[in-house]
């Protein structure tokens, strides 16, 4: 699914029409092959990686609004978008590492959230 490449991220999808979960599974396999860490430790570290990625979102938002007067504006809203995508991908890889049924687990959870949102009354 993934080929050797010299790209900056080290991963290149051979097929443009891969589903997101196919890509996530390929990333998980790539990470599994490259870490050399016991699977149970690897899972925990992938969960912790989420905190790092969320921190990068916060840093990008602070930089996009120029909240730190010493640094000024250091990021764009496109940087925030990219960091949010990193959070999503990291969470997907962590979920896939936890369970091979990640696509079904996620779809079911998303469906329950949508049902709760559509059944709740909104105040005018």
């Amino acid at each position: 699914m993934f080929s050797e490449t010299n790209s900056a991220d080290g991963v290149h999808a051979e097929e443009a029409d891969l589903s997101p979960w196919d890509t996530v599974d390929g990333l998980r396999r790539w990470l599994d092959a490259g870490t050399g860490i016991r699977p149970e430790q690897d899972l925990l570290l992938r969960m912790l990686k989420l905190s790092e990625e969320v921190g990068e979102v916060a840093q990008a938002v602070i930089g996009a609004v120029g909240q730190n007067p010493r640094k000024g504006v250091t990021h764009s809203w496109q940087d925030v978008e990219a960091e949010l995508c990193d959070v999503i991908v990291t969470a997907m890889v962590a979920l896939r590492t936890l369970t091979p049924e990640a696509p079904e687990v996620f779809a079911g959870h998303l469906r329950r959230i949508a049902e709760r949102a559509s059944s709740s009354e909104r105040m005018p």
Side-chain angles (χ1 to χ4, degrees):
M1 176 175 315
F2 288 91
S3 62
E4 294 295 320
T5 184
N6 291 328
S7 67
D9 61 8
V11 177
H12 175 70
E14 290 180 346
E15 299 176 33
D17 60 347
L18 293 176
S19 79
W21 285 107
D22 289 335
T23 303
V24 164
D25 199 45
L27 289 169
R28 182 201 50 83
R29 286 193 308 271
W30 174 71
L31 288 168
D32 287 349
T35 63
I37 298 172
R38 290 193 334 258
E40 55 277 358
Q41 282 183 316
D42 210 16
L43 173 62
L44 295 175
L45 291 170
R46 288 182 191 171
M47 304 290 174
L48 290 175
K49 179 76 173 158
L50 281 166
S51 294
E52 178 189 0
E53 296 297 343
V54 169
E56 291 175 11
V57 171
Q59 182 180 18
V61 169
I62 289 167
V65 299
Q67 187 271 336
N68 184 335
R70 185 175 55 84
K71 293 182 180 179
V73 174
T74 59
H75 291 75
S76 68
W77 288 105
Q78 288 75 26
D79 294 327
V80 176
E81 291 171 358
E83 295 300 344
L84 286 169
C85 289
D86 286 348
V87 170
I88 293 165
V89 171
T90 301
M92 291 174 78
V93 170
L95 181 60
R96 177 56 190 89
T97 302
L98 183 64
T99 178
E101 288 84 28
E104 296 80 13
V105 169
F106 180 73
H109 191 76
L110 186 60
R111 189 172 35 259
R112 288 188 295 278
I113 291 170
E115 288 168 0
R116 279 197 318 257
S118 68
S119 67
S120 68
E121 290 187 30
R122 300 198 179 240
M123 300 293 286

